[in-house]
Amino acid sequence: MVVNIEKLLSMPEFKGMDKDVLSAKLKAVENLIRSYTNNNFQNRTMRIEAPVINGMIQGHCPYFRVGDTVQISQSKVNDGLYEITEITDTAIKVDGEIYDFPVNIVTKVIYPPDVQKGVVDLMIWEKDNRKKVGIKSEELSRHSVTYYDQDSNNQVMGYPVSLLGFLKPYVKPRF
């Protein structure tokens, strides 16, 4: 995962939040970032090619650790992002269901610190401001609310453009 869920839950902004709800939101933000930047953040030097047997990746990589995010690709049935939950001498277990298949390319995903910080900021914005989306200003006396235009000039993927500046160095061209 782009940010450790336990670290988020330890922050005062996320105290008392349900872990499963926060995890689902975090996965959604991670997928949005990967799609928006066209960048999978893979470290291709930390990669193995291995079969999946009995729901476990049969292989070993000295660079993989429990809690790391890996991407399985070119398997036709297991493609996706997973978090490593257990490592033995001969196999790797991940958090999702994977199917037996003879060829899987498993690559470690590493997010830079500024992307991780940006995701934390997005999660804080999501928690505090999602229900107020569209409100530009609000007065209490005689109650007046002004809404701003939600177009491509001031929002991307449902978030304010100002919050997504951290992604600019990581955007890759689409061909």
Side-chain angles (χ1 to χ4, degrees), residues 51-70:
V52 171
I53 300 172
N54 296 326
M56 293 186 74
I57 301 164
Q58 303 299 308
H60 176 74
C61 179
Y63 307 114
F64 291 178
R65 305 278 182 265
V66 172
D68 284 349
T69 300
V70 293

Side-chain angles (χ1 to χ4, degrees), residues 87-149:
I87 298 176
T88 66
D89 292 337
T90 59
I92 300 169
K93 186 174 183 173
V94 294
D95 65 345
E97 182 179 4
I98 55 177
Y99 303 98
D100 293 358
F101 199 78
V103 179
N104 298 274
I105 295 177
V106 185
T107 310
K108 186 171 181 174
V109 175
I110 300 175
Y111 295 98
D114 55 333
V115 171
Q116 293 176 357
K117 167 72 169 86
V119 168
V120 170
D121 292 343
L122 286 175
M123 295 300 292
I124 291 171
W125 183 90
E126 177 81 27
K127 179 185 171 291
D128 295 340
N129 299 315
R130 178 56 70 187
K131 58 187 166 278
K132 300 176 188 175
V133 168
I135 297 176
K136 186 174 184 178
S137 67
E138 185 172 7
E139 293 179 28
L140 294 176
S141 178
R142 300 286 185 198
H143 189 68
S144 172
V145 178
T146 305
Y147 294 90
Y148 65 87
D149 293 330

Side-chain angles (χ1 to χ4, degrees), residues 42-48 61 63-64 107-108 110:
Q42 290 181 348
N43 185 332
R44 289 176 178 85
T45 60
M46 299 177 179
R47 171 182 276 179
I48 61 171
C61 179
Y63 307 114
F64 291 178
T107 310
K108 186 171 181 174
I110 300 175

Side-chain angles (χ1 to χ4, degrees), residues 32 36 122 125-126 129-130 132-135 148-165 167:
L32 283 171
Y36 176 72
L122 286 175
W125 183 90
E126 177 81 27
N129 299 315
R130 178 56 70 187
K132 300 176 188 175
V133 168
I135 297 176
Y148 65 87
D149 293 330
Q150 292 181 315
D151 58 18
S152 62
N153 293 329
N154 57 18
Q155 78 166 354
V156 175
M157 303 180 308
Y159 293 97
V161 171
S162 60
L163 284 179
L164 297 172
L167 293 175

Side-chain angles (χ1 to χ4, degrees), residues 3-16:
V3 177
N4 183 305
I5 194 84
E6 300 302 327
K7 285 183 182 179
L8 278 183
L9 287 171
S10 70
M11 295 174 65
E13 293 89 353
F14 302 103
K15 289 273 190 217

